[in-house]
Amino acid sequence: QVVGSGGGSVQAGGSLRLSCAASGYTASSYCMGWFRQALGKEREEVATIDAEGTATYADSVKGRFTLSQDNAKNALYLQMNSLKPEDTAMYFCAASTWERLCPKSTRDYNLWGQGTQVTVSS
């Protein structure tokens, strides 16, 4: 399973760090990432990292968000800087333990965290 945490409320320009703790498998051996869903919108991919360590970011967060892994803790982190009101959403940690590379569809992620709310005020 994966368990996400670290959301909160910040003002625009602020920072937050989300954490995703994996258990039952080795996180660095498979794809893992963060997704978000704003009210009334579809879930979208924010950032993912595959088993080769290649990170991919949505255009809307490039240069502001950074993924990192702690293999000793079997965890994935998303450092979010220069937050904007449009980053407000429920953020979900997810993993695909079916393959080493990251799938194109969210349907191919088999482990999902419970979600953590990020609210950015202007």
Side-chain angles (χ1 to χ4, degrees):
Q1 66 173 359
V2 292
V3 179
S5 62
S9 298
V10 296
Q11 291 191 327
S15 299
L16 284 172
R17 189 176 83 149
L18 304 184
S19 300
C20 181
S23 61
Y25 76 104
T26 302
S28 59
S29 295
Y30 300 96
C31 173
M32 203 165 174
W34 286 94
F35 296 76
R36 67 186 181 187
Q37 187 166 16
L39 201 61
K41 295 187 177 181
E42 292 187 355
R43 189 169 298 188
E44 63 175 355
E45 180 179 305
V46 176
T48 60
I49 185 165
D50 63 25
E52 297 177 358
T54 301
T56 303
Y57 299 91
D59 288 342
S60 58
V61 306
K62 280 180 182 176
R64 301 188 297 121
F65 291 11
T66 304
L67 283 172
S68 62
Q69 287 181 304
D70 185 332
N71 293 337
K73 295 184 178 180
N74 210 30
L76 178 72
Y77 304 98
L78 181 67
Q79 179 66 42
M80 306 186 294
N81 298 329
S82 303
L83 282 162
K84 304 176 180 180
E86 50 264 44
D87 294 318
T88 295
M90 184 71 75
Y91 283 69
F92 298 88
C93 173
S96 175
T97 59
W98 295 333
E99 55 185 298
R100 292 173 58 82
L101 300 181
C102 291
K104 298 295 185 184
S105 172
T106 58
R107 292 190 297 271
D108 293 325
Y109 285 80
N110 57 310
L111 298 179
W112 288 88
Q114 78 283 9
T116 184
Q117 179 68 36
V118 172
T119 302
V120 185
S121 58
S122 57

